[in-house]
Amino acid sequence: MGITCHSVSGHVIGLDLSCSGLEGKIHPNSTLFHLTHLQTLSLAYNVLLGYDQLPSQFGDFVSLTHLNLSFCWFDGEIPSEISHLSKLQSLDLSLNNLNWEETTWKRLLQNATALHEIVLDQTDMSSFTSTLSNWSFSFSLDTLSLGFTGIWGHLTSHTLCLPNLHYLDLNGNEDIQVHVPNLNCTSSLNFLDLSYCQFPESQIPISFSNLTHLTSLTLSGNELNGSIPTFLSNNLQHLTHLDLSDNRFSGQFPIILGQLTNLQALNLGGNNFGGKLLLSSLANLTQISSLDCSYNMFEGPLPNKIIGFSSLTKLFLNDNLLNEAIPSWCFSLPFLTTLELSNNHFTGHTSEISSHSLLYLDLCGNKLQGNIPESMFNLVSLTHLCFSGTQSSSLHFPLFSKLQNLKTLALSGFNSLLLDSENNASYNKFTNLRALKLVQINLTDFSKTLWEFPNLDALQLSENNLEGKMPQWIQNIHSLEHLKLTHNQLSSIGQFSWYQLKDLDLSFNSLSDDNISFICKATSLEIVNLSYNKLRGTIPECVANLSSLLRVLDLQVNKFHGTLPSIFSWRLETLNLNGNQLEGHLPRSLSNCTYLVDFDIGNNQIEDTFPNWVQSLQYLEILVLGSNKLYGPIISLETKDAFPQILVFDISSNNFSGQLPKAFIESFQAMKGIGGPQAQGSYYFEQEDDVIELLDVSYDDSVTETIKGLTTNFVKIPTFFVSIDLSSNKFEGEIPDDFGELTALVSLNLSHNRLAGHIPHSLGNLIYLESLDLSSNMLTGKIPAELTNISFLEVLNLSSNHLEGSIPRGKQFDTFLNDSYEGNMGLCGFPLTIQCNNNVPQQEYPSSEAEDKFGFGWKPVAIGYACGTVFGIGLGCCVFWIGKPEWLVIIFGGTTTRIKRRSRGNRRARTT
C-alpha cells in the first residue's frame, strides 16, 4: 500500500490500496475521483462494491497509465468511459463479474495504442460477434490474458506472431480453435496457456516447434491423443514448466521428456499412459521440483533406486496401478514437501521416513501392511496425513498428538485401536487439528475416552460401529462446521451445541428422535442430511425454513408423517423427502425456491393435483413425485420454456389421467441434448482444499428409480442418467412422436396405463436408451424395426398389449427372451415358438413328440382335417336345402318329431 506524489506539483499520481481489507461501496461522488492527476491506481483484492456496477467515473482519470481493479467484486457492464483512457499501458479487470460491450472493447483497443498489458480473466466477452483473429492489438502488447472470457474464433499466427508478446493465456475458452498450420515468424512467447480450448486435429500443432523461447507451456484438458511429439524435447529446450494433463495421450511413459534438462515442473496427470513408470529416464532433470503422473494406468513396481530427483519437492503418483512395496527413496528425498501415492495397489510394510521436510503425505487407498512406522511421528512439520491400514494392523492414536502442526488427519481400515490406559487428557489434546477423518475403525472404546479438539472444523467418523447416544466429546466441539457420522448405529444425537455448523450428515444410522427441531439452533446450516434413519414425528417449520443459507434438506427414508411445512428457504437447491409418510397438499410456497435442482417427494401419501408451479423452476433437474396419491389430468404448459434442465421426470404410481403431457415432453430441452445438462447436484463449501479433499465435504443428489426392471438407489446420480417414468397411472391415447426427440434418454417407462395406437417409429432415435418398458397397455400394430437401432438397449418389455406381426431381428433384439413379448397373441417369430407366415402367426402343428406317441406325423393329420372339412361342408349344404334326412337321423340313433310350421319357408326339425 502506498501513495506517490509528483516531485514538483505535489499532486497524487500513484495510489496503491491493494489487499488493504477495504469494504463498502464507492460512490460516484467519492473523493477518490478528485485525484484527477492519477497515473497509477490499484484497488485489487478488496471488497468494494458487492453487486453494484463499476462507476463510470473511472473513465475520468485521463492521465492514467496503469489501472488494476482485479478481484474487487465488481458487477455489471463495463462503462464505455473506460475506452477514454487513451494513455493506458496496463489494464487489469480480472476476477470480477463484469461484462463487455463489443463497441467499448473495440474503442479501447483503438484509442489505447500504448497498451502493453491486458489482463481480463473471467470478464464476459461471450456476446461478441467478432473473433479473436479480427482484433487489432497494439504491436507493443507483451501480456494478453483472457482466460474464461467466452471469446471465440481461431487462434492464428496473427496473434502468436505479435513481435513483443511474451505472455498469452486463453485458458478455458472452449470456443477457441487453435489453427496454426504455419508459424513463419520468430515468436517471442515465453508463456502459453491454451488449456480447455479446441485443437481440431487433436494433436499438438507441429508449428509449435517454432516457439523456441517458451519457458511455460500448458495444454491441459484439450482431448489431445496419440503420442507426445518429439519436437517438444528437440526444439523447446528452454521449457521449465510443461503441463499436458487431462488429455488422452497414451502409450508408454514419454522418455523423450528426459531431454528437457531445464524442466522444473512436469504434469502428465489424467491421461491414458500405461506400462512401467520409467522414472529413471528423467535422471537428467536435475532441476525438476514438481512431477505429476497421477490418474493414469501406470502399473508394476516403482524402481528400487533412483537418481536425479535431488531437487524434487512435489511428487504425485496417485490413482494408478502401481504395486509391490513403496521403495525407500520415496521417503528419503531431502527437499520433498508433498508425497501423493494414494489409490494404487502398493503392499508390504512402510519404510522408515527420513524426509523431514514433508508437509503433505497421502498413502490412503493401498494395501499396506503392518503398523504406522514410528519415524512418522518425528515429522514435526507435517500438516496433512492420510494412511490406511489392514486387518493385521493396529492404530496407536494418542501418538498423533506429537504432530503439533497437523491440520488434517485421515485414518482408515485399522483392525484395532490402541489407547493409553491412563487417559491423560493433556496427552489427548490436538490443538491445531482442523479436520479429522476416521473410517472403518472400531471406535467403541474411542467414544468413551476424553479427547480435546479445540479448533476442529470438520469431523468424519463413518462406518465405525458407533452406537447409542452421540459421544460426549463430540458434543463438546463447539468449533465444528462440518460433521459427518454416516453408516453407524447412533440412536440419539444428544445435546446439540454446534452453533457454527454448516454441514450435518448423520445418514444411515438408527436415529429415532421424535423431534429434530434441535438443529434449528444452528442458524448457519447449509446442508442437512438425516436420511435413512428412523426419525419420527412431523417436520418442524423451523427446519424447512432453517435459515436463508439452507441449500440441502435430505430427510428421505424416515418415518415422518403429517403435512409439509408451509415455508421453505428460498435458497433451497435440494429437497428430498422420499420414503416417508407425509400427506396433504404440496405447499405453493415451494415455487419461491427458484434455485431448486432436486425435488423428490416420492413414496409418500401426498394427495393433490399436479403442481403446475414446478414449471417455473428453471434449474430443476430432478422431479420425483412417484408413488403418491396425486390425481387428475396434467394440463398444458403455463410457463414458456418450462423444464429446460430436467433430466429425471418421475410421476409414476399415481392416479394421473387424460393424455400424456405432450407439451412437457416438447419442452425437455436438456433431454434433447440442447445446451447440455448442467453439472448435477454436488455442493461443497469454499474451504481449504485439503479439508474438502480429505473429508469429502460435499453432498451429491441421490434418487431411487426403477431401471431395467429393478429398483435402483443411486446414492450419487451418474452424470449420464436421464429418465422418464410415467408408469402405473391412467394415461390414455397415443404415445407422442416427441419422445423420439429426447435423444439423451437412458430409461423410458410408460407401462401400466391405457395407452393405445402404434409404437412410434421415432423411438428408434433414442440411441442411448438402455431400458424401454411399454407393457400392460393397449398398444396395437407392429413392433417398429427402427427399435433395433438402439444398440445399448438391455431391457425391453412390450408384454400384455395387442401387438401383432413378426418380431424384428438383429442387434439387441436377438438377446431378448419370451417375457419381453408375452401376452401379445398376434406376435410371432424369434424368440417365440410361434412361427410367422408372411408376418402372420402360422398355425402350430403337432410336434415330433406327438408323432412318436401316436405313430403318425402331422401330414396325415392335415389330410384328415382337409377331408373332414369337405365332408362337413357338403353335409351342411344337404341339410340346408332338403331338411334333415331321416336316414341320417337313424344312423346317429335318433327319432324325428315334427313341429308346426310357423311361417312360410321356415322349416325346422328337432332331433330328440
Side-chain angles (χ1 to χ4, degrees), residues 686-706:
E686 295 180 1
Q687 189 144 335
E688 291 187 15
D689 290 341
D690 53 359
V691 173
I692 294 174
E693 181 179 357
L694 174 73
L695 284 192
D696 235 354
V697 181
S698 63
Y699 173 86
D700 294 301
D701 286 318
S702 61
V703 70
T704 300
E705 286 292 298
T706 301

Side-chain angles (χ1 to χ4, degrees), residues 276-280 300-307 309 323-333 346-347 351:
K276 297 287 185 181
L277 182 57
L278 302 176
L279 296 179
S280 57
L302 291 175
N304 289 326
K305 294 182 180 181
I306 197 75
I307 58 174
F309 285 168
N323 57 25
E324 297 189 13
I326 301 174
S328 59
W329 63 263
C330 290
F331 301 112
S332 60
L333 296 171
F346 289 120
T347 58
S351 304

